[in-house]
Amino acid sequence: APPERCRVVLNGVDLNSFNYMDREACRRRLGLSSTSRILLSVGRLTQQKGHHDLISVMPQLSQRGETQLYIIGGVNREEDFSLVLRKMIADLKLDNVHIVDPVPHDELAFWYGAADLFCLATKTEGCPNVVLEALACGTPVVATNVGAIRELITDGENGIVVESNQMSDLGEIVGAALARKWDREQIAARMRARSWASCAEQLLQIYRTILEPAPCSHTDK
């Protein structure tokens, strides 16, 4: 189809389930440390999700203070990468990386709310729901530049986008994002325009435009 005839409506997010919450309250609910810097990654335990890239920079981040990484994701029957991840954790002697069993979807909001930073080192995506959910909870995001990531993240405002040629600097980028002071309430507020109702209205407007009769010209008559 000609590009000028294409319209893209990105995924929305359930703002009733994912919204700004007090970080300390979320940590108390989950039994997490109130003093640690917490990184969170959510996604299937497959190679393409890039959890191993995050694990590989944890020794570097640990030298700067107490930083914990929590990875929440189920095992894909076609590709169980969890054994590789657990071996990496053991080989690097990391006691600050935790693979968490899948949690109920409505509990994810508390994990987003508890985290200082959401990280997605994925190799391929469309419009990732986990990024939308994290942002709706006010959590800044560091993610690789794939799919619609650039349309969701504005560098320095609600996160940082990592280019493919920057992966060797991932530790530095995550460290800088952890050190930055983010306006979490403002990050969440920006997502109010991305509700599913807003997406539906965009679609309706496109259909109305397509179906609206074209004005008749004199020659048509």
Side-chain angles (χ1 to χ4, degrees), residues 9 193 195-209:
V9 178
S195 68
W196 279 115
S198 174
C199 292
E201 183 56 40
Q202 290 178 60
L203 284 171
L204 282 171
Q205 187 56 46
I206 291 170
Y207 281 120
R208 290 189 188 108
T209 301

Side-chain angles (χ1 to χ4, degrees), residues 51 60 108 120 157 180 205:
H51 299 306
Q60 175 185 352
L108 271 179
L120 190 67
E157 291 188 14
R180 190 185 186 102
Q205 187 56 46

